[in-house]
Amino acid sequence: MMDEQLLLSGLLWRTERLFHDKKIITRLGPGEYHSYTYADYAKRVRKLAGALTEFGVRPGERVGTIAWNHYRHFETYFGVPGIGAVLHTINMRLFPEQQAYLINHAEDSVLIIDEDQIPVVEQLVDMGIPTVRAFIVMGDGPLPETSLDPVYRYEDVLARGSEDFEFPEFDEHTASAMCYTSATTGDPKGVLYSHRAMVLQAMCLAMHDKLNMSESQVWLEVAPMFHCNGWNIPHTALLQGATLVLPGIHPSDGDYVEMVADLGVTGMNGAVTIGTMMRDFVRASDRQWDLSSLKTMWLGGQAPSRAITEWWEQTYGTHVVQGYGMTECTPQICFNFTKSTLADQGEEAVYALRQKGGQPIPLMKIKVLGEEGQELPWDGTSVGDFWVRSPFTASEYYHDERTKENMVGGWFRTGDVGAIDEHGYVIIKDRSKDLIKSGGEWISSIDLENALMAHPKVREATVVSVPHEKWLERPLACVVPSDDSITEEELREYLMGSFAKWWIPDAFLFVSQVPKTSVGKYNKKEIRAIYGAGGADEVRARFGLTVA
Amino acid sequence: MMDEQLLLSGLLWRTERLFHDKKIITRLGPGEYHSYTYADYAKRVRKLAGALTEFGVRPGERVGTIAWNHYRHFETYFGVPGIGAVLHTINMRLFPEQQAYLINHAEDSVLIIDEDQIPVVEQLVDMGIPTVRAFIVMGDGPLPETSLDPVYRYEDVLARGSEDFEFPEFDEHTASAMCYTSATTGDPKGVLYSHRAMVLQAMCLAMHDKLNMSESQVWLEVAPMFHCNGWNIPHTALLQGATLVLPGIHPSDGDYVEMVADLGVTGMNGAVTIGTMMRDFVRASDRQWDLSSLKTMWLGGQAPSRAITEWWEQTYGTHVVQGYGMTECTPQICFNFTKSTLADQGEEAVYALRQKGGQPIPLMKIKVLGEEGQELPWDGTSVGDFWVRSPFTASEYYHDERTKENMVGGWFRTGDVGAIDEHGYVIIKDRSKDLIKSGGEWISSIDLENALMAHPKVREATVVSVPHEKWLERPLACVVPSDDSITEEELREYLMGSFAKWWIPDAFLFVSQVPKTSVGKYNKKEIRAIYGAGGADEVRARFGLTVA
C-alpha cells in the first residue's frame, strides 16, 4: 500500500474539491452573518499558510491563538498545521497570569488574537512573553491603536500569501495542535495532537451512531474552539462538507437560539449549561421560537440532567446526546448512543443508559483497574480507575515531569473513577480527586449531583467533599433552586429514596450560582477553598443565599 | 500521541466487548440458518489464530481460502491476519489452471477450503501446488473421503486453539490479506492489503453519506468474500456491530430474496446482475414478497440501469446506490451519494448524477490526466486517464514487473478513462482497453451500454470493439432482449436520439446471455475473441439468437 500520510491538508484537499459550494457561517451581530464557501475558506487557508511561512514560522514552532469561534479562527485550524507548525489555542477565560504561563511554557512564536483581546495581550507583554516575535490581530477595518509591536492586521498578513500555496507533505505523527488541560490542580499540562490523531478522530466522529455528522447537517459549534480542538467538531464538519455555523464574538444564550432559528441549525454541541441557558431564554422570551430543525444537541462536560433532556425532546424533538472526553484524548473517549438491542427495554432503562458516559469510540481501548492494579470486570458495578489507550491519546505531557505519573505501560490514567457495564458503557462516578471518602467508604459526588439535578425544583447542583472531624470527609451540596419553595428537608427526604443514609450531604447550601471553571465545569476546587477559609457561611456570602 | 497501530485485531477488541450480543447469520438451506453472536465469533477467531500458530503458520506467510460466504470463511478474515499471516482469498470461479497459478504465485502454505471444493483442490494437487503444507476443510460432520494430505477438519483444528489467545501487536503496515485482479488481460496481478488500509477503509465506509452502515443494520453480503475483501463490507459490519448475513453455499437468486424477507435485511451489496436477477425472481414468483425492510442495495461492477434502480425504489422503497472500486484500492475509490446542494435540481438531473461513479471517499485523491500527462480540469467533459492515491491504494503488485507500468510517482494508474465533474463525481467512460477508436475518434462502450440498457425492451447489453478495414475499429452491440418484439432498427433509431451517427454500432446481435467474468463483469475479451474467430455468426452460434 502507498505510504500516504494522514494529514489535515489531505482532508482539506477533498473538501475544497467536493464541497466547495458548502458554507461556513459566522454570526456578526443580531441577525447579521458573515458567510463564505469552503472554496473561499481553502483559498484563505492557503494564503495564511503561505504568509506564515514568509513570516518565518518554521515547522514545529507554536503559533498561539486567543480568539472566539469565527471563520478567521477556523482558518488558523488548517493554515497553521498545514505548514507543519503547531496551533496552540489559548483559553480566553483564563487570568492573564495563567495565559502568560501557557505562552511561555509553549514558547509561542506568533500570537493570532481577536481585536477585543488587545488589552489583555498588552498586559501579557508587560508580564513578559519573550518568545513571541509578532502579533496578528483578527477583525474588520483598520488596526486599533495598540502598544503591541510588531503588530499586523490579519487581513494584511493574508494578502501576502498566495491562494495557490501548496501544502508540504510530512510524517503524520507531526504535531498539528496543542492544548493545555484546564488544570483543576497544579499548573496546566500541555498536550500535542498529531495530524494522525486529528484525522482519525474526525473520521470516528463522522461515523454512524455518533453525532449524525453528514454533509446535509447545519452544525453550530458552541463549544469554544480554544478548548480541546473545539471537541474536534470543526474538523469533522469540514471532513463531511457539513455547513459550519460559528457564533462569533461575545455570543449570548439568546444568540444561540436566534442562530438555530435563523439558519435552520440541525445539530450543535456545547457545555451542559448551554442547554439549560437556551431553554431558560426560550421560556422567558416573548417570541415563539421554532427550533424544530435542531435534531441533535451534544452536551458535554458532565451528564445532562433528565429535566433538560426531556424538555428539549418534548419541546422541539431535539435528541440530547452526551459523550466522555478529555484534553489528553483529542478529546473523545466515549460517545453515548443507544444500541438497537437495548432500545426496547422501556423508557426508564433507556434513560438510565443514556445517563452513562457511552461506549468507547472506534480505535479507543479502555479498562478499569482496581486498587491493586487488577483489571476489573465489565459488570456495571466494579468501580476503579479508568485507563485508556488509542492512536489519539497522549503518550506524554509537553515538557512535563508529570508524564510519568499518568502515562504508564502504554496506557493513560484518566483520573476518572467509575465502572463499565456489560455493553461497554462507561459509568463515571467521579474525578478521583472529587470522590468523597467518608468513614472509609467512597461517596460519588456525581451520583448525588445527578440525583439532585433531576429534582424539579433544582436548576443546578454540585456536591463537594469538605473536611470532617469524625468521618474525615463529608459531602456538602450547593444548590441553585429553580423554585423558591425548595427546602433542605425536602431534598434530604428526596435523596433518602435513592441513597444510603450516610451518603446524604450534611448541609445543603442554596446559592444563586455554582462557580465554574474557564471551560464551564463546576469549580469544586474553588468551593472547597472558600469553605476551607470560612465554612458554609463564607460560601453563602460569596454565592448569595437566595432561599432561607 | 501513543503509537497505537491500526490493526484488524483492534477492531475485534471493540466489537467483542460492545456488540457481543449482535449476530452473524449464515444461510444453511431453505429457511434454515446458522446464527451466532460476535462473542462466539471472536472466541472462534482466537481459537483459529492460536491453532494456526500451532500449525506453524508464521507471520507473513500466505494462507489461501477457496470458499463461499459463510461464518467460517469470515472467521479466517480476522483469524489469519490476527497472527500477522496473510489471508489469500482465491476466486472460486476460476479454472483450476488459474487457481493453481495463483496459489503457486502467492506460495500459499495452508489452504482452507469448503467441502464442495475438495474435487477441485485434488486437481490442483495433481497439477502441482508444492508450497501447500496442509489442507483444512470447512463444513459440518465428518471429513469426506479425499486424497488431500495432510488434511484436517476445520472444527478439529479450532479445537486445538484457545479462546483466550492474545493477538500479537505489530506494525500496521503489515500485510493482512491479498487478492489477485480478475485479469481481463495477461496473468492476474496480486495486491497485498495492509492492516492500516483495511482499518482505514472500513472506517470510511462506516461514515455518513455512504452505505448507512450503522449498528442497527442487518446487512446481506452477496458480493463474494473471495473478491476484493468482499468489498470490505464484512470488516465494516464488524466495526459497526451490524448484523451480518451471509448467503452460505450455492445460493440462488431466490435464496437472496428469501433471506431479505426472512431476516428483515436492511442493506445488501452485490454485482449489478444480482439486482436484476432478484427482480426477475420476484416478478416470476407466485408468492407476494415483502422486501420493504431493504432500504439500501449497493450494486457494483458497472452502473446499475435506470430500469433496475426505479423498479426497486418504486416497488420496495429500496435505494439503489453505486460506487467505483478496484482490487488495487482495497477496493473502494468512490461512492455515489447525492450532495444536498444537488438534490433539488429535478428528478432527471438527480438521476444523471446517480449514474456517475461517485465522489472519492475520504483519504482518496484522484486526478485525470490528458494524453500529454497534463492534469485535466474537473469540468465533467475533459476525458483522460484516472490516477489515484490513498493509504489504501497499492504501491506495487506482488512480485510483479508490471508494477512499474501502473504505479508511477506515488500515484496508481487505474486503467479507466473518464472525466470528473465540478463536484468531484467521477464519470467513467471506459476501461482504457475497452474504448473504441473509430476513424481516429474515441467511442465509449459504457455510454452506449448504459443507453441501451435504459431501453424498455433491453435486459442486458454490452458493446465491444471489433476490427474494421476502413475505420480500424467499430462498435458491436450484444443485446439480451426482455421483449421479443425488439428490432435492430428500433435500437438504431433510439440511439440516434442521443449519439452522433458514427457512434451507432454497426451490428446488434440479439443473444440469450452476455458472457461474464468470474466476478460478474461483462467479458468483452471473450466476445472479441469469438468474433475474431468466426465473426457475428460465431457469436450468435455461441450465445443463442433468440430474436430474428
Side-chain angles (χ1 to χ4, degrees):
Chain A
M1 293 286 118
M2 293 173 175
D3 205 18
E4 179 81 353
Q5 299 295 295
L6 306 179
L7 299 180
L8 289 176
S9 58
L11 301 190
L12 190 62
W13 183 96
R14 181 168 175 271
T15 297
E16 65 186 328
R17 283 166 177 77
L18 273 47
F19 306 116
H20 47 75
D21 53 343
K22 296 296 303 288
K23 298 272 171 62
I24 298 164
I25 302 171
T26 301
R27 187 192 67 91
L28 298 179
E32 201 191 333
Y33 298 96
H34 173 276
S35 172
Y36 68 2
T37 65
Y38 278 108
D40 300 325
Y41 171 79
K43 284 177 193 164
R44 285 171 56 92
V45 166
R46 288 176 187 276
K47 289 173 89 159
L48 175 61
L52 289 176
T53 306
E54 214 187 276
F55 248 80
V57 175
R58 293 181 304 276
E61 275 195 325
R62 274 75 57 211
V63 173
T65 63
I66 309 181
W68 298 88
N69 290 12
H70 51 66
Y71 65 99
R72 292 189 178 104
H73 197 185
F74 186 41
E75 287 162 7
T76 70
Y77 261 48
F78 280 74
V80 172
I83 60 170
V86 181
L87 183 75
H88 171 205
T89 48
I90 298 161
N91 186 333
M92 289 173 67
R93 298 193 193 129
L94 295 178
F95 291 112
E97 293 73 13
Q98 294 171 301
Q99 292 183 330
Y101 173 85
L102 298 188
I103 292 166
N104 289 327
H105 191 268
E107 300 178 284
D108 293 331
S109 62
V110 173
L111 281 186
I112 303 178
I113 64 170
D114 271 341
E115 206 165 291
D116 68 346
Q117 301 299 306
I118 288 177
V120 176
V121 179
E122 286 173 345
Q123 279 186 61
L124 299 181
V125 171
D126 291 342
M127 291 175 190
I129 45 172
T131 58
V132 178
R133 300 195 301 264
F135 301 89
I136 299 174
V137 180
M138 296 186 282
D140 294 311
L143 187 65
E145 198 65 29
T146 172
S147 63
L148 297 177
D149 183 42
V151 63
Y152 306 89
R153 198 55 163 161
Y154 180 82
E155 293 298 328
D156 297 337
V157 171
L158 244 62
R160 298 187 191 185
S162 159
E163 61 187 43
D164 298 323
F165 178 83
E166 296 220 6
F167 294 109
E169 294 185 14
F170 41 77
D171 189 287
E172 68 194 32
H173 295 89
T174 303
S176 66
M178 84 183 297
C179 199
Y180 282 79
T181 61
S182 46
T184 38
T185 48
D187 280 328
K189 292 175 272 197
V191 175
L192 284 175
Y193 305 105
S194 66
H195 281 255
R196 171 179 164 97
M198 303 286 264
V199 169
L200 288 174
Q201 192 167 94
M203 290 174 68
C204 288
L205 288 182
M207 287 167 60
H208 284 275
D209 308 325
K210 311 284 174 310
L211 290 166
N212 294 317
M213 185 64 91
S214 63
E215 182 269 338
S216 59
Q217 289 277 9
V218 179
W219 197 276
L220 172 61
E221 160 81 354
V222 172
M225 286 173 62
F226 62 70
H227 184 46
C228 297
N229 314 308
W231 303 6
N232 244 26
I233 284 291
H235 304 88
T236 309
L238 180 140
L239 163 63
Q240 291 290 74
T243 302
L244 181 62
V245 180
L246 299 171
I249 311 280
H250 284 294
S252 70
D253 312 339
D255 292 332
Y256 300 134
V257 171
E258 190 174 274
M259 277 184 280
V260 173
D262 279 1
L263 303 171
V265 166
T266 57
M268 60 174 286
N269 62 300
V272 162
T273 46
I274 299 291
T276 311
M277 294 189 304
M278 284 175 68
R279 176 199 64 180
D280 293 348
F281 177 88
V282 167
R283 275 181 170 172
S285 171
D286 292 336
R287 185 173 150 186
Q288 283 290 335
W289 293 95
D290 179 5
L291 308 183
S292 58
S293 64
L294 189 66
K295 298 297 175 214
T296 308
M297 179 181 265
W298 179 17
L299 297 179
Q302 65 236 37
S305 72
R306 180 154 190 175
I308 279 295
T309 301
E310 289 184 344
W311 187 85
W312 281 99
E313 297 190 357
Q314 285 160 13
T315 312
Y316 292 118
T318 305
H319 192 62
V320 176
V321 296
Q322 65 156 320
Y324 165 47
M326 52 178 52
T327 304
E328 290 86 343
C329 295
T330 311
Q332 299 315 314
I333 299 170
C334 291
F335 192 82
N336 195 325
F337 101 104
T338 305
K339 228 172 99 172
S340 63
T341 50
L342 301 176
D344 293 333
Q345 20 162 25
E347 197 183 334
E348 289 305 308
V350 169
Y351 186 78
L353 185 72
R354 290 179 58 193
Q355 277 291 101
K356 297 177 181 178
Q359 294 177 309
I361 63 174
L363 311 182
M364 176 61 75
K365 290 178 178 166
I366 185 161
K367 65 183 179 183
V368 56
L369 297 188
E371 285 187 13
E372 317 290 317
Q374 80 280 23
E375 201 161 339
L376 298 179
W378 292 23
D379 57 10
T381 55
S382 298
V383 172
D385 288 310
F386 286 135
W387 291 73
V388 300
R389 70 184 270 193
S390 78
F392 31 70
T393 298
S395 56
E396 59 178 12
Y397 289 115
Y398 183 68
H399 296 176
D400 201 313
E401 278 297 305
R402 288 168 291 181
T403 292
K404 60 178 183 295
E405 297 163 21
N406 295 291
M407 286 77 168
V408 183
W411 289 77
F412 165 64
R413 185 207 317 261
T414 62
D416 285 324
V417 170
I420 308 175
D421 77 12
E422 60 175 314
H423 296 279
Y425 288 79
V426 160
I427 303 151
I428 300 156
K429 290 292 181 185
D430 233 324
R431 290 295 295 168
S432 48
K433 64 183 177 305
D434 290 334
L435 266 179
I436 302 157
K437 196 158 193 178
S438 177
E441 295 289 339
W442 292 111
I443 295 172
S444 160
S445 66
I446 291 183
D447 283 357
L448 289 169
E449 286 167 3
N450 285 341
L452 283 170
M453 283 195 284
H455 190 281
K457 295 184 185 172
V458 172
R459 188 165 182 276
E460 284 186 344
T462 190
V463 174
V464 301
S465 168
V466 293
H468 189 278
E469 211 165 308
K470 179 170 177 193
W471 305 113
L472 293 179
E473 291 181 12
R474 287 296 298 154
L476 167 81
C478 296
V479 174
V480 183
S482 60
D483 183 324
D484 283 356
S485 71
I486 197 167
T487 65
E488 191 167 335
E489 200 41 50
E490 185 177 1
L491 291 180
R492 197 178 304 275
E493 257 178 52
Y494 165 76
L495 291 182
M496 294 284 274
S498 314
F499 298 98
K501 196 176 169 197
W502 56 274
W503 271 56
I504 312 302
D506 285 359
F508 295 77
L509 307 184
F510 294 111
V511 293
S512 63
Q513 58 155 311
V514 176
K516 301 203 179 60
T517 69
S518 60
V519 295
K521 295 180 187 170
Y522 293 142
N523 195 336
K524 299 189 181 190
K525 186 174 145 196
E526 185 177 347
I527 299 170
R528 281 196 296 262
I530 293 167
Y531 187 93
D537 287 343
E538 185 64 25
V539 177
R540 284 197 191 94
R542 280 291 294 280
F543 297 107
L545 179 68
T546 57
V547 181
Chain B
M1 293 287 118
M2 292 172 176
D3 206 17
E4 178 81 353
Q5 299 296 293
L6 306 179
L7 300 180
L8 289 177
S9 58
L11 301 190
L12 190 62
W13 183 95
R14 181 167 174 271
T15 297
E16 65 185 326
R17 283 167 177 76
L18 273 49
F19 307 117
H20 47 77
D21 53 344
K22 296 298 301 288
K23 299 270 171 63
I24 299 164
I25 302 171
T26 301
R27 188 192 66 91
L28 298 179
E32 200 191 333
Y33 298 96
H34 173 276
S35 173
Y36 67 1
T37 65
Y38 278 108
D40 300 325
Y41 172 79
K43 283 177 194 162
R44 286 171 55 93
V45 166
R46 289 176 187 277
K47 289 173 89 156
L48 175 62
L52 288 176
T53 305
E54 213 188 275
F55 249 78
V57 175
R58 292 182 304 277
E61 274 194 326
R62 274 75 58 210
V63 174
T65 63
I66 309 181
W68 298 89
N69 291 10
H70 50 66
Y71 66 98
R72 292 187 179 105
H73 197 184
F74 187 40
E75 287 162 5
T76 70
Y77 261 49
F78 280 75
V80 172
I83 59 170
V86 181
L87 182 77
H88 172 206
T89 49
I90 299 160
N91 186 333
M92 288 174 66
R93 299 193 191 128
L94 296 178
F95 291 113
E97 293 75 13
Q98 294 171 301
Q99 292 182 330
Y101 172 85
L102 298 188
I103 291 165
N104 289 326
H105 191 269
E107 301 177 283
D108 294 330
S109 61
V110 173
L111 281 187
I112 304 179
I113 64 169
D114 270 341
E115 205 165 289
D116 68 346
Q117 301 300 304
I118 288 176
V120 177
V121 179
E122 286 172 345
Q123 279 187 61
L124 299 180
V125 169
D126 291 342
M127 292 174 189
I129 44 171
T131 59
V132 178
R133 300 195 301 263
F135 302 89
I136 300 175
V137 179
M138 297 185 282
D140 295 310
L143 188 65
E145 197 66 27
T146 172
S147 62
L148 297 178
D149 184 42
V151 64
Y152 307 89
R153 197 57 163 158
Y154 181 82
E155 295 298 329
D156 297 336
V157 171
L158 244 62
R160 300 188 191 185
S162 158
E163 61 187 43
D164 297 324
F165 178 83
E166 295 219 6
F167 294 108
E169 295 186 14
F170 41 76
D171 189 288
E172 67 194 33
H173 295 89
T174 303
S176 65
M178 83 182 298
C179 199
Y180 282 78
T181 62
S182 46
T184 40
T185 50
D187 281 328
K189 292 175 273 195
V191 175
L192 284 175
Y193 305 105
S194 66
H195 282 255
R196 171 180 164 97
M198 304 286 263
V199 170
L200 288 175
Q201 192 167 96
M203 289 175 68
C204 287
L205 288 182
M207 286 167 59
H208 284 275
D209 308 326
K210 312 282 175 308
L211 291 166
N212 295 317
M213 185 65 90
S214 62
E215 181 269 338
S216 59
Q217 290 276 9
V218 179
W219 197 276
L220 172 62
E221 161 81 353
V222 172
M225 285 172 62
F226 62 71
H227 183 45
C228 297
N229 314 308
W231 304 6
N232 245 26
I233 285 290
H235 304 88
T236 308
L238 179 141
L239 164 63
Q240 290 291 75
T243 303
L244 181 62
V245 180
L246 300 170
I249 311 280
H250 286 293
S252 70
D253 312 340
D255 292 331
Y256 301 134
V257 170
E258 190 174 274
M259 276 184 279
V260 173
D262 279 1
L263 303 171
V265 166
T266 58
M268 60 174 286
N269 62 298
V272 163
T273 46
I274 298 291
T276 312
M277 295 188 304
M278 285 175 67
R279 178 201 60 181
D280 294 350
F281 176 87
V282 167
R283 276 180 171 172
S285 171
D286 293 335
R287 181 171 153 188
Q288 283 292 334
W289 292 95
D290 179 5
L291 308 183
S292 59
S293 64
L294 189 66
K295 298 297 174 214
T296 308
M297 178 181 266
W298 179 16
L299 297 179
Q302 65 236 34
S305 72
R306 181 153 188 174
I308 280 296
T309 301
E310 288 182 347
W311 187 85
W312 280 99
E313 297 189 358
Q314 286 160 13
T315 311
Y316 294 118
T318 305
H319 192 62
V320 175
V321 296
Q322 66 158 318
Y324 165 47
M326 51 178 52
T327 304
E328 291 87 343
C329 295
T330 310
Q332 299 314 313
I333 300 172
C334 290
F335 192 83
N336 196 325
F337 101 105
T338 305
K339 226 173 99 172
S340 62
T341 51
L342 301 176
D344 293 333
Q345 21 161 25
E347 198 184 333
E348 289 306 309
V350 169
Y351 186 77
L353 184 73
R354 290 178 57 192
Q355 278 291 100
K356 298 178 181 177
Q359 295 177 311
I361 63 173
L363 310 183
M364 176 61 76
K365 290 178 178 167
I366 183 160
K367 64 184 178 183
V368 56
L369 297 188
E371 287 188 9
E372 316 291 316
Q374 79 281 21
E375 200 162 339
L376 299 179
W378 290 22
D379 57 10
T381 56
S382 298
V383 172
D385 289 311
F386 287 134
W387 291 73
V388 300
R389 70 183 270 192
S390 78
F392 30 72
T393 298
S395 56
E396 60 180 13
Y397 290 115
Y398 184 68
H399 296 175
D400 200 311
E401 278 297 304
R402 289 167 292 182
T403 291
K404 60 179 182 299
E405 298 162 20
N406 295 292
M407 287 75 167
V408 184
W411 290 76
F412 165 64
R413 185 207 318 262
T414 62
D416 285 324
V417 170
I420 308 177
D421 78 11
E422 59 174 317
H423 296 279
Y425 288 77
V426 161
I427 303 151
I428 300 156
K429 290 291 179 184
D430 235 325
R431 289 295 296 170
S432 49
K433 65 183 176 308
D434 289 336
L435 264 179
I436 302 157
K437 195 158 194 179
S438 175
E441 296 288 339
W442 292 112
I443 295 173
S444 160
S445 66
I446 290 184
D447 283 357
L448 289 168
E449 286 167 2
N450 285 341
L452 284 170
M453 282 195 284
H455 191 282
K457 295 184 184 172
V458 172
R459 188 164 182 276
E460 283 187 343
T462 190
V463 174
V464 301
S465 170
V466 293
H468 189 277
E469 214 166 303
K470 180 169 175 193
W471 304 115
L472 295 177
E473 293 181 11
R474 287 297 298 154
L476 167 82
C478 296
V479 174
V480 183
S482 60
D483 182 324
D484 283 355
S485 71
I486 198 167
T487 67
E488 191 167 337
E489 201 40 52
E490 186 179 358
L491 290 179
R492 198 178 304 274
E493 258 177 52
Y494 164 76
L495 290 181
M496 294 284 275
S498 314
F499 298 99
K501 196 175 167 195
W502 57 272
W503 272 55
I504 312 301
D506 286 359
F508 296 77
L509 307 184
F510 294 109
V511 293
S512 64
Q513 58 154 309
V514 175
K516 302 205 178 61
T517 69
S518 60
V519 295
K521 295 180 187 171
Y522 294 142
N523 195 337
K524 299 189 181 193
K525 187 174 146 197
E526 184 177 348
I527 299 171
R528 280 196 297 261
I530 294 168
Y531 187 93
D537 287 342
E538 185 65 24
V539 177
R540 284 197 190 93
R542 280 291 294 280
F543 298 109
L545 179 68
T546 57
V547 182

